[in-house]
């Protein structure tokens, strides 16, 4: 074989092996996409997708990623899978300093604010500060951002549930006094439990928890897969698809395309 042909053959073979390696790494195990039931993702029964789920699917479609399975879990289980298994994409997950090295952060989907809510008829509950709230029983979802935050802030009267609908049932049964919720989730949880829920009243905004919710891959996922997803989301954001997905939804905002990210500092400890 002439040298020129041999060189061309070797180059093509090397390229083929490289592509096969990338494809094998991504295809050895189908991608798992995991999330929990919220107003942004799915209803409690997992039948009706929310805007974040539609956006994740559109992102994977744009990235030409079709071999995946989307599963709905309680938050602690979804988080555990993304933490310990390769080829897992989790959404919507808050990005904190403690979580920063644990995942491959792919795209900031939206920014959200959390508040403490009580039942409308519970006028006996009076909260003007975080210290006031510590006197009451607060319902939280196991291992999510709000659970971690309140625990670190010294809350000892925490009742832990697997999912927000379970916490809502505890609130209606007066087993808990307060729930930390996003505005859109408060509205949906109350709507889903009418007529027992006559309304939820916001008593305190958790300013330190205001921040972004992300799509993130588990460690061990092929870098090429992460980059394709990141580029696809950036394209959709530049086209306005992200803004349209969450337009008009209460209590949520979307980051500007290519907005720089700053990891929030840990909450300051009490003196």
């Amino acid at each position: 074989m002439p040298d020129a042909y041999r060189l061309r053959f070797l180059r093509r073979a090397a390229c083929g092996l490289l592509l096969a390696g990338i494809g094998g790494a991504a295809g050895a195990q189908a991608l798992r996409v995991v999330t929990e039931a919220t107003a942004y993702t799915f209803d409690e029964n997992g039948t009706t997708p929310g805007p974040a789920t539609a956006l994740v699917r559109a992102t994977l479609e744009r990235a030409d990623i079709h071999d995946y399975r989307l599963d709905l879990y309680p938050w602690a289980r979804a988080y555990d899978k993304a933490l310990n298994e390769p080829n897992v994409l989790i959404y919507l997950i808050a990005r904190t300093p403690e979580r920063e090295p644990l995942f491959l952060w792919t795209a900031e989907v939206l920014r959200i604010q959390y508040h403490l809510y009580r039942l409308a008829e519970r006028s006996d509950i009076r909260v003007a500060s975080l210290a006031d709230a510590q006197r009451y029983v607060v319902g939280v979802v196991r291992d999510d951002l709000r659970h971690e935050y309140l625990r670190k802030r010294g809350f000892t009267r925490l009742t832990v549930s697997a999912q927000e609908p379970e916490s809502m049932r505890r609130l209606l049964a007066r087993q808990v006094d307060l729930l930390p919720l996003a505005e859109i989730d408060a509205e949906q949880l109350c709507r889903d439990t009418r007529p027992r829920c006559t309304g939820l009243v916001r008593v305190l905004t958790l300013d330190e928890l205001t921040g972004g919710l992300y799509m993130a891959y588990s460690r061990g996922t092929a870098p090429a897969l992460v980059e394709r997803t990141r580029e696809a989301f950036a394209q959709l954001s530049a086209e306005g698809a992200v803004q349209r997905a969450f337009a008009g939804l209460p209590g949520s905002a979307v980051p500007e395309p290519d907005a720089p990210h700053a990891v929030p500092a840990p909450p300051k400890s009490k003196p």
Side-chain angles (χ1 to χ4, degrees):
M1 180 183 296
D3 289 343
Y5 288 105
R6 182 182 293 110
L7 182 60
R8 187 180 306 166
F9 172 80
L10 291 174
R11 284 176 176 170
R12 288 179 176 174
C15 182
L17 288 172
L18 178 61
L19 292 174
I22 294 174
Q29 179 180 343
L31 176 66
R32 297 286 298 277
V33 183
V34 297
T35 190
E36 63 173 336
T38 72
Y40 293 109
T41 56
F42 278 95
D43 63 6
E44 184 181 358
N45 298 319
T47 55
T48 305
T53 297
L55 186 60
V56 167
R57 285 173 168 166
T59 299
L60 296 177
E61 178 73 22
R62 178 67 63 93
D64 199 26
I65 299 170
H66 306 286
D67 186 16
Y68 69 88
R69 173 178 168 180
L70 199 160
D71 289 312
L72 190 66
Y73 293 113
W75 175 253
R77 188 175 176 192
Y79 184 87
D80 184 71
K81 285 185 172 293
L83 188 63
N84 295 300
E85 299 177 14
N87 296 324
V88 175
L89 176 66
I90 186 171
Y91 73 103
L92 298 159
I93 180 171
R95 188 173 185 173
T96 67
E98 294 80 9
R99 292 174 177 176
E100 185 68 21
L102 304 179
F103 301 96
L104 303 174
W105 299 94
T106 306
E108 183 179 12
V109 179
L110 76 156
R111 292 174 183 158
I112 198 169
Q113 193 172 49
Y114 293 106
H115 316 275
L116 287 177
Y117 286 88
R118 64 167 173 84
L119 292 174
E121 62 267 28
R122 293 292 307 275
S123 57
D124 58 301
I125 297 174
R126 298 175 183 176
V127 177
S129 67
L130 209 56
D132 291 340
Q134 289 181 318
R135 303 197 308 264
Y136 299 100
V137 181
V138 183
V140 294
V141 173
R142 185 181 306 278
D143 294 338
D144 91 333
L145 177 70
R146 292 154 286 180
H147 185 192
E148 295 171 2
Y149 170 77
L150 294 174
R151 187 169 49 194
K152 288 178 180 178
R153 297 297 287 176
F155 280 69
T156 58
R157 305 184 69 189
L158 297 176
T159 296
V160 180
S161 300
Q163 301 180 79
E164 283 184 344
E166 182 182 344
S167 289
M168 184 64 183
R169 288 190 285 271
R170 292 179 186 272
L171 184 74
L172 292 168
R174 304 207 175 189
Q175 296 171 351
V176 302
D177 303 310
L178 298 167
L179 294 183
L181 299 168
E183 182 179 357
I184 188 174
D185 287 322
E187 291 186 1
Q188 177 168 306
L189 287 168
C190 190
R191 184 169 56 248
D192 290 346
T193 52
R194 287 175 181 162
R196 292 185 65 200
C197 179
T198 59
L200 293 178
V201 175
R202 181 191 306 175
V203 297
L204 187 71
T205 297
L206 302 174
D207 290 319
E208 289 180 313
L209 288 186
T210 299
L213 297 179
Y214 284 73
M215 298 166 53
Y217 277 102
S218 57
R219 290 285 176 183
T221 302
L225 195 66
V226 178
E227 189 57 33
R228 279 162 57 193
T229 307
R230 186 175 290 133
E231 291 177 357
F233 186 89
Q235 291 173 12
L236 292 174
S237 180
E239 295 166 7
V242 181
Q243 289 79 359
R244 290 193 297 272
F246 299 102
L249 294 181
S252 59
V254 297
E256 293 296 324
D258 300 321
H261 165 72
V263 179
K268 295 180 180 179
S269 58
K270 293 183 178 179

